[in-house]
Amino acid sequence: MYSQGLIGADGRTDEAPEFLEAFQKRIDAEEKIEPMDAMPEGYRRTLIRQIGQHAHSEIVGMLPEGNWITRAPSLKRKAALLAKVQDEGGHGLYLYAAAETLGVSRDQMTEELLSGKAKYSSIFNYPTLSWADIGTIGWLVDGAAIMNQIPLCRCSFGPYARAMIRVCKEESFHQRQGYEIVMTLARGTPEQKAMAQDSLNRWWWPSLMMFGPHDAESQHSDQNMKWKIKRFSNDELRQKFIDATVPQAQFLGLSVPDPDLTWNEEKGGYDHGPIDWDEFWRVVKGGGVMNRDRIEARQKAWDDGAWVREAALAHAEKRRARKLAAE
Amino acid sequence: MVSETPLWEVFIRPRNGLAHKHVGSIHAADEVMAVQAARDVYTRRGEGTSIWVVRSADIVASDPAQAGENFEPTADKIYRHPTFYEIPEDVGHM
Ligand SMILES: [Fe+2]
Ligand SMILES: [Fe+2]
């Protein structure tokens, strides 16, 4: 709510060691940081980047699923998918609003998405080739997102934490409807079961990549943990996801496409095979099947909506002037 | 480029008998569209029975840098609380 005052402001803080120490004390005491509080510039920048990226992911994430709304196999599935995609739009809006409290404008964020300066989750650069993909996305992609998002409900930045609480409440419907779709296919005809298996084969590894690079390779991670923006490391979250998901696949009679996947009694979790990080970086850098399509679709939505935004503002201005004249 | 669509703060009354509570913000050209957008974005699952929207620019806030000055002095005014006063037990509940 404070963004209007902050836009364009330099925002630089006097980062004397005493200041940083006092700030860290607040974080360590589990105090929430609110938008107008003094904060290190790095903390602000990191949050703007992370919340913006998160918001863009919600918005771009509407595209692969939106692709199947008109072809959903029943009215029930169509209604559920519409509601899910609408939720994702809502998540994007809660998050943009949280980022705006830090002094970045909504238009600025949109421009950065369209120019490619801001990233979004790479998972959405994979195509949705079959109806089973809609089930798998809900099950795996929303499932992985939930793993990531639950600790964010306790993020040190108040507006982000509050937005995440709303988001998490809504996500569990997404994962359950997805799993139910995959279950229906897995229990259907051999062709339907094969469709579910093919979909799991394609989405499994990209879903594991959603947690980001291994801890040893991920930059900025330590500082983010110290500031309690992040509470668990990438590898910890990935492990939790695998341990939760493998039994769900077994229940469906589907096999996880990792020949090295084995239960490790000692650590009480699964060991998994190597992740293809070359593919991950290739897709992040724009080499995925759908990168260009996704940005084109967002650009088109922005351009096609321009006259609506202009007309709405002109109409509001006209009404305001009339009201003033009548007073 | 045209100017940015204004920002509004959204307040929702979860049900009658409770106060409106801040839930987030949205962009809208005017108050009519702000209420519509707030309904779509913030009440998809029976979160409320009433919506208020206020232009963010119209909100006047206290300065967090003065939070100490503003709110800490109340801590030592213990005579503002009922437990400060000693009433014999024989008097009964008061
Ligand atoms: Fe979401
Ligand atoms: Fe979701």
PDB file of all heavy atoms in Angstrom, chain A residues 299-317:
ATOM      1  N   GLN A 299       2.735 -10.780 -24.319  1.00  0.00           N
ATOM      2  CA  GLN A 299       2.862  -9.514 -25.056  1.00  0.00           C
ATOM      3  C   GLN A 299       1.546  -9.181 -25.766  1.00  0.00           C
ATOM      4  O   GLN A 299       1.072  -8.057 -25.737  1.00  0.00           O
ATOM      5  CB  GLN A 299       4.003  -9.628 -26.082  1.00  0.00           C
ATOM      6  CG  GLN A 299       4.260  -8.346 -26.863  1.00  0.00           C
ATOM      7  CD  GLN A 299       4.943  -7.271 -26.024  1.00  0.00           C
ATOM      8  OE1 GLN A 299       6.006  -7.514 -25.450  1.00  0.00           O
ATOM      9  NE2 GLN A 299       4.330  -6.089 -25.927  1.00  0.00           N
ATOM     10  N   LYS A 300       0.930 -10.194 -26.359  1.00  0.00           N
ATOM     11  CA  LYS A 300      -0.318  -9.995 -27.085  1.00  0.00           C
ATOM     12  C   LYS A 300      -1.416  -9.554 -26.114  1.00  0.00           C
ATOM     13  O   LYS A 300      -2.178  -8.633 -26.401  1.00  0.00           O
ATOM     14  CB  LYS A 300      -0.721 -11.299 -27.786  1.00  0.00           C
ATOM     15  CG  LYS A 300      -1.975 -11.171 -28.637  1.00  0.00           C
ATOM     16  CD  LYS A 300      -2.232 -12.456 -29.436  1.00  0.00           C
ATOM     17  CE  LYS A 300      -3.398 -12.320 -30.406  1.00  0.00           C
ATOM     18  NZ  LYS A 300      -4.658 -11.867 -29.814  1.00  0.00           N
ATOM     19  N   ALA A 301      -1.466 -10.209 -24.946  1.00  0.00           N
ATOM     20  CA  ALA A 301      -2.490  -9.850 -23.960  1.00  0.00           C
ATOM     21  C   ALA A 301      -2.299  -8.389 -23.529  1.00  0.00           C
ATOM     22  O   ALA A 301      -3.265  -7.634 -23.387  1.00  0.00           O
ATOM     23  CB  ALA A 301      -2.401 -10.779 -22.747  1.00  0.00           C
ATOM     24  N   TRP A 302      -1.041  -8.006 -23.346  1.00  0.00           N
ATOM     25  CA  TRP A 302      -0.737  -6.631 -22.916  1.00  0.00           C
ATOM     26  C   TRP A 302      -1.123  -5.637 -24.003  1.00  0.00           C
ATOM     27  O   TRP A 302      -1.799  -4.643 -23.742  1.00  0.00           O
ATOM     28  CB  TRP A 302       0.756  -6.538 -22.568  1.00  0.00           C
ATOM     29  CG  TRP A 302       1.206  -5.184 -22.138  1.00  0.00           C
ATOM     30  CD1 TRP A 302       2.021  -4.334 -22.830  1.00  0.00           C
ATOM     31  CD2 TRP A 302       0.870  -4.509 -20.907  1.00  0.00           C
ATOM     32  NE1 TRP A 302       2.216  -3.175 -22.118  1.00  0.00           N
ATOM     33  CE2 TRP A 302       1.529  -3.248 -20.944  1.00  0.00           C
ATOM     34  CE3 TRP A 302       0.087  -4.826 -19.799  1.00  0.00           C
ATOM     35  CZ2 TRP A 302       1.424  -2.327 -19.899  1.00  0.00           C
ATOM     36  CZ3 TRP A 302      -0.018  -3.895 -18.761  1.00  0.00           C
ATOM     37  CH2 TRP A 302       0.643  -2.673 -18.821  1.00  0.00           C
ATOM     38  N   ASP A 303      -0.735  -5.934 -25.232  1.00  0.00           N
ATOM     39  CA  ASP A 303      -1.028  -5.026 -26.349  1.00  0.00           C
ATOM     40  C   ASP A 303      -2.534  -4.949 -26.624  1.00  0.00           C
ATOM     41  O   ASP A 303      -3.085  -3.869 -26.803  1.00  0.00           O
ATOM     42  CB  ASP A 303      -0.308  -5.481 -27.632  1.00  0.00           C
ATOM     43  CG  ASP A 303       1.208  -5.374 -27.488  1.00  0.00           C
ATOM     44  OD1 ASP A 303       1.662  -4.664 -26.562  1.00  0.00           O
ATOM     45  OD2 ASP A 303       1.928  -6.009 -28.285  1.00  0.00           O
ATOM     46  N   ASP A 304      -3.178  -6.110 -26.656  1.00  0.00           N
ATOM     47  CA  ASP A 304      -4.618  -6.126 -26.946  1.00  0.00           C
ATOM     48  C   ASP A 304      -5.424  -5.442 -25.847  1.00  0.00           C
ATOM     49  O   ASP A 304      -6.537  -4.972 -26.084  1.00  0.00           O
ATOM     50  CB  ASP A 304      -5.124  -7.569 -27.108  1.00  0.00           C
ATOM     51  CG  ASP A 304      -4.606  -8.213 -28.391  1.00  0.00           C
ATOM     52  OD1 ASP A 304      -3.946  -7.494 -29.190  1.00  0.00           O
ATOM     53  OD2 ASP A 304      -4.839  -9.424 -28.597  1.00  0.00           O
ATOM     54  N   GLY A 305      -4.879  -5.414 -24.635  1.00  0.00           N
ATOM     55  CA  GLY A 305      -5.612  -4.800 -23.526  1.00  0.00           C
ATOM     56  C   GLY A 305      -5.371  -3.301 -23.416  1.00  0.00           C
ATOM     57  O   GLY A 305      -6.015  -2.627 -22.610  1.00  0.00           O
ATOM     58  N   ALA A 306      -4.447  -2.782 -24.215  1.00  0.00           N
ATOM     59  CA  ALA A 306      -4.056  -1.373 -24.059  1.00  0.00           C
ATOM     60  C   ALA A 306      -5.244  -0.431 -24.214  1.00  0.00           C
ATOM     61  O   ALA A 306      -5.437   0.483 -23.410  1.00  0.00           O
ATOM     62  CB  ALA A 306      -2.961  -1.016 -25.063  1.00  0.00           C
ATOM     63  N   TRP A 307      -6.076  -0.670 -25.239  1.00  0.00           N
ATOM     64  CA  TRP A 307      -7.200   0.259 -25.470  1.00  0.00           C
ATOM     65  C   TRP A 307      -8.200   0.181 -24.315  1.00  0.00           C
ATOM     66  O   TRP A 307      -8.837   1.184 -23.971  1.00  0.00           O
ATOM     67  CB  TRP A 307      -7.880  -0.011 -26.817  1.00  0.00           C
ATOM     68  CG  TRP A 307      -8.717  -1.270 -26.885  1.00  0.00           C
ATOM     69  CD1 TRP A 307      -8.304  -2.498 -27.266  1.00  0.00           C
ATOM     70  CD2 TRP A 307     -10.103  -1.392 -26.545  1.00  0.00           C
ATOM     71  NE1 TRP A 307      -9.338  -3.395 -27.197  1.00  0.00           N
ATOM     72  CE2 TRP A 307     -10.454  -2.751 -26.753  1.00  0.00           C
ATOM     73  CE3 TRP A 307     -11.092  -0.501 -26.090  1.00  0.00           C
ATOM     74  CZ2 TRP A 307     -11.754  -3.226 -26.505  1.00  0.00           C
ATOM     75  CZ3 TRP A 307     -12.374  -0.979 -25.861  1.00  0.00           C
ATOM     76  CH2 TRP A 307     -12.696  -2.327 -26.058  1.00  0.00           C
ATOM     77  N   VAL A 308      -8.319  -1.009 -23.679  1.00  0.00           N
ATOM     78  CA  VAL A 308      -9.249  -1.145 -22.554  1.00  0.00           C
ATOM     79  C   VAL A 308      -8.743  -0.315 -21.369  1.00  0.00           C
ATOM     80  O   VAL A 308      -9.499   0.412 -20.734  1.00  0.00           O
ATOM     81  CB  VAL A 308      -9.400  -2.631 -22.149  1.00  0.00           C
ATOM     82  CG1 VAL A 308     -10.377  -2.767 -20.984  1.00  0.00           C
ATOM     83  CG2 VAL A 308      -9.854  -3.459 -23.341  1.00  0.00           C
ATOM     84  N   ARG A 309      -7.437  -0.438 -21.098  1.00  0.00           N
ATOM     85  CA  ARG A 309      -6.870   0.338 -19.979  1.00  0.00           C
ATOM     86  C   ARG A 309      -7.034   1.833 -20.232  1.00  0.00           C
ATOM     87  O   ARG A 309      -7.428   2.588 -19.344  1.00  0.00           O
ATOM     88  CB  ARG A 309      -5.387  -0.013 -19.801  1.00  0.00           C
ATOM     89  CG  ARG A 309      -5.136  -1.443 -19.335  1.00  0.00           C
ATOM     90  CD  ARG A 309      -3.678  -1.666 -18.917  1.00  0.00           C
ATOM     91  NE  ARG A 309      -2.733  -1.500 -20.016  1.00  0.00           N
ATOM     92  CZ  ARG A 309      -2.414  -2.467 -20.899  1.00  0.00           C
ATOM     93  NH1 ARG A 309      -2.967  -3.659 -20.785  1.00  0.00           N
ATOM     94  NH2 ARG A 309      -1.548  -2.236 -21.865  1.00  0.00           N
ATOM     95  N   GLU A 310      -6.756   2.242 -21.458  1.00  0.00           N
ATOM     96  CA  GLU A 310      -6.874   3.665 -21.792  1.00  0.00           C
ATOM     97  C   GLU A 310      -8.319   4.139 -21.668  1.00  0.00           C
ATOM     98  O   GLU A 310      -8.588   5.196 -21.099  1.00  0.00           O
ATOM     99  CB  GLU A 310      -6.385   3.922 -23.224  1.00  0.00           C
ATOM    100  CG  GLU A 310      -4.883   3.993 -23.326  1.00  0.00           C
ATOM    101  CD  GLU A 310      -4.403   3.952 -24.782  1.00  0.00           C
ATOM    102  OE1 GLU A 310      -5.009   4.644 -25.629  1.00  0.00           O
ATOM    103  OE2 GLU A 310      -3.441   3.212 -25.055  1.00  0.00           O
ATOM    104  N   ALA A 311      -9.243   3.351 -22.204  1.00  0.00           N
ATOM    105  CA  ALA A 311     -10.654   3.751 -22.164  1.00  0.00           C
ATOM    106  C   ALA A 311     -11.154   3.817 -20.721  1.00  0.00           C
ATOM    107  O   ALA A 311     -11.893   4.739 -20.356  1.00  0.00           O
ATOM    108  CB  ALA A 311     -11.496   2.753 -22.966  1.00  0.00           C
ATOM    109  N   ALA A 312     -10.739   2.867 -19.900  1.00  0.00           N
ATOM    110  CA  ALA A 312     -11.201   2.859 -18.507  1.00  0.00           C
ATOM    111  C   ALA A 312     -10.705   4.097 -17.771  1.00  0.00           C
ATOM    112  O   ALA A 312     -11.450   4.729 -17.026  1.00  0.00           O
ATOM    113  CB  ALA A 312     -10.712   1.589 -17.800  1.00  0.00           C
ATOM    114  N   LEU A 313      -9.454   4.462 -18.021  1.00  0.00           N
ATOM    115  CA  LEU A 313      -8.905   5.655 -17.373  1.00  0.00           C
ATOM    116  C   LEU A 313      -9.597   6.919 -17.879  1.00  0.00           C
ATOM    117  O   LEU A 313      -9.923   7.821 -17.103  1.00  0.00           O
ATOM    118  CB  LEU A 313      -7.395   5.754 -17.618  1.00  0.00           C
ATOM    119  CG  LEU A 313      -6.529   4.810 -16.768  1.00  0.00           C
ATOM    120  CD1 LEU A 313      -5.080   4.849 -17.241  1.00  0.00           C
ATOM    121  CD2 LEU A 313      -6.623   5.164 -15.291  1.00  0.00           C
ATOM    122  N   ALA A 314      -9.876   6.965 -19.198  1.00  0.00           N
ATOM    123  CA  ALA A 314     -10.541   8.139 -19.774  1.00  0.00           C
ATOM    124  C   ALA A 314     -11.954   8.273 -19.202  1.00  0.00           C
ATOM    125  O   ALA A 314     -12.402   9.368 -18.849  1.00  0.00           O
ATOM    126  CB  ALA A 314     -10.591   8.007 -21.296  1.00  0.00           C
ATOM    127  N   HIS A 315     -12.626   7.127 -19.071  1.00  0.00           N
ATOM    128  CA  HIS A 315     -13.984   7.124 -18.514  1.00  0.00           C
ATOM    129  C   HIS A 315     -13.971   7.593 -17.055  1.00  0.00           C
ATOM    130  O   HIS A 315     -14.806   8.413 -16.643  1.00  0.00           O
ATOM    131  CB  HIS A 315     -14.564   5.714 -18.615  1.00  0.00           C
ATOM    132  CG  HIS A 315     -15.936   5.576 -18.052  1.00  0.00           C
ATOM    133  ND1 HIS A 315     -17.035   6.163 -18.632  1.00  0.00           N
ATOM    134  CD2 HIS A 315     -16.394   4.927 -16.947  1.00  0.00           C
ATOM    135  CE1 HIS A 315     -18.116   5.886 -17.915  1.00  0.00           C
ATOM    136  NE2 HIS A 315     -17.745   5.136 -16.885  1.00  0.00           N
ATOM    137  N   ALA A 316     -13.009   7.104 -16.296  1.00  0.00           N
ATOM    138  CA  ALA A 316     -12.900   7.496 -14.886  1.00  0.00           C
ATOM    139  C   ALA A 316     -12.661   9.004 -14.783  1.00  0.00           C
ATOM    140  O   ALA A 316     -13.249   9.685 -13.937  1.00  0.00           O
ATOM    141  CB  ALA A 316     -11.765   6.721 -14.213  1.00  0.00           C
ATOM    142  N   GLU A 317     -11.814   9.505 -15.672  1.00  0.00           N
ATOM    143  CA  GLU A 317     -11.494  10.941 -15.670  1.00  0.00           C
ATOM    144  C   GLU A 317     -12.737  11.764 -16.005  1.00  0.00           C
ATOM    145  O   GLU A 317     -13.033  12.783 -15.371  1.00  0.00           O
ATOM    146  CB  GLU A 317     -10.364  11.197 -16.679  1.00  0.00           C
ATOM    147  CG  GLU A 317      -9.892  12.631 -16.754  1.00  0.00           C
ATOM    148  CD  GLU A 317      -9.540  13.230 -15.380  1.00  0.00           C
ATOM    149  OE1 GLU A 317      -8.965  12.503 -14.533  1.00  0.00           O
ATOM    150  OE2 GLU A 317      -9.873  14.400 -15.156  1.00  0.00           O
TER     151      GLU A 317
END
